[in-house]
Amino acid sequence: VSQSLRVGGDEMDEAIINHIKREYKLLIGQQTAEEIKLEVGSAHQLKEEVQAEVRGRDMLTGLPKTVILSSEEVRHALEEPIAQIIDAIKSTLDKTPPELAADIMDRGIVLAGGGSLLQGLDQRLRQETHMPTHLAESPLTCVAVGSGRSLEEFEAMRNSARARARSRSRNGRGRY
């Protein structure tokens, strides 16, 4: 069971840019939004809320302007993309066969990729799914490394799949 969703770090950055534009009439770039996300962004309430100073160009005057953003405000700005990600996870879990769901319940959900580094995302997922949630050991590189290893073992995986298919057809259990 899988679901592909085109929501991640870039969409979170866009949500921050749009929030600052809407609330403060301030233009900031993608890099500034990324820095804000890393510095004060979160998916779950922080133990201690923090603030960030944001510099951009005032849309009304065209002059440089500085505003102060709270982590709570950034969390609110990130709510839509985070909710989309959580909804996709819940939807996928809902379609997951019971045996696999039991394994996930035992071992937990593993977060990978740059978006997984958002503060409190693991806590938020734990709260929303009632399942253990862990951050991958090397979240920025683990997907690429795993894909590379899969390619190295491609022939073995293909042979294993063929053997399973032969076994199913001999036992009268074909694909349905």
Side-chain angles (χ1 to χ4, degrees):
V1 177
S2 66
Q3 183 173 348
S4 180
L5 187 66
R6 299 236 179 253
V7 176
D10 290 344
E11 286 71 23
M12 291 181 195
D13 295 343
E14 278 301 316
I16 292 170
I17 289 169
N18 291 333
H19 172 78
I20 292 171
K21 192 184 295 183
R22 189 175 49 253
E23 295 296 317
Y24 297 100
K25 306 291 186 249
L26 187 70
L27 292 174
I28 64 168
Q30 200 81 27
Q31 186 174 348
T32 301
E34 171 86 6
E35 289 168 6
I36 294 167
K37 179 179 68 182
L38 294 174
E39 191 177 329
V40 297
S42 66
H44 191 270
Q45 187 172 352
L46 301 174
K47 289 179 183 172
E48 189 175 316
E49 298 294 338
V50 292
Q51 296 181 329
E53 193 174 88
V54 180
R55 292 183 180 92
R57 186 168 44 105
D58 189 307
M59 292 170 61
L60 302 175
T61 66
L63 299 173
K65 180 179 169 183
T66 301
V67 297
I68 305 294
L69 287 180
S70 70
S71 50
E72 184 177 4
E73 187 176 2
V74 175
R75 185 170 46 256
H76 177 72
L78 294 172
E79 183 55 34
E80 186 178 333
I82 291 169
Q84 289 177 349
I85 293 167
I86 291 171
D87 288 346
I89 292 168
K90 285 179 173 180
S91 170
T92 304
L93 288 170
D94 189 43
K95 297 173 193 165
T96 301
E99 305 81 30
L100 185 54
D103 284 347
I104 296 170
M105 193 64 189
D106 288 341
R107 297 182 184 184
I109 297 169
V110 179
L111 302 176
S116 69
L117 296 173
L118 182 67
Q119 292 181 70
L121 184 59
D122 57 339
Q123 293 171 289
R124 176 83 180 269
L125 274 174
R126 227 176 277 126
Q127 177 185 342
E128 297 268 350
T129 64
H130 306 289
M131 292 191 158
T133 307
H134 314 282
L135 189 60
E137 191 173 312
S138 301
L140 294 174
T141 59
C142 66
V143 174
V145 169
S147 297
R149 287 183 185 161
S150 294
L151 287 174
E152 290 171 0
E153 300 296 326
F154 185 74
E155 192 61 36
M157 290 188 316
R158 185 168 50 183
N159 290 340
S160 175
R162 284 181 183 156
R164 282 193 309 273
R166 281 193 302 270
S167 174
R168 277 195 303 262
S169 63
R170 272 186 249 144
N171 295 332
R173 291 184 292 177
R175 292 182 124 173
Y176 301 105

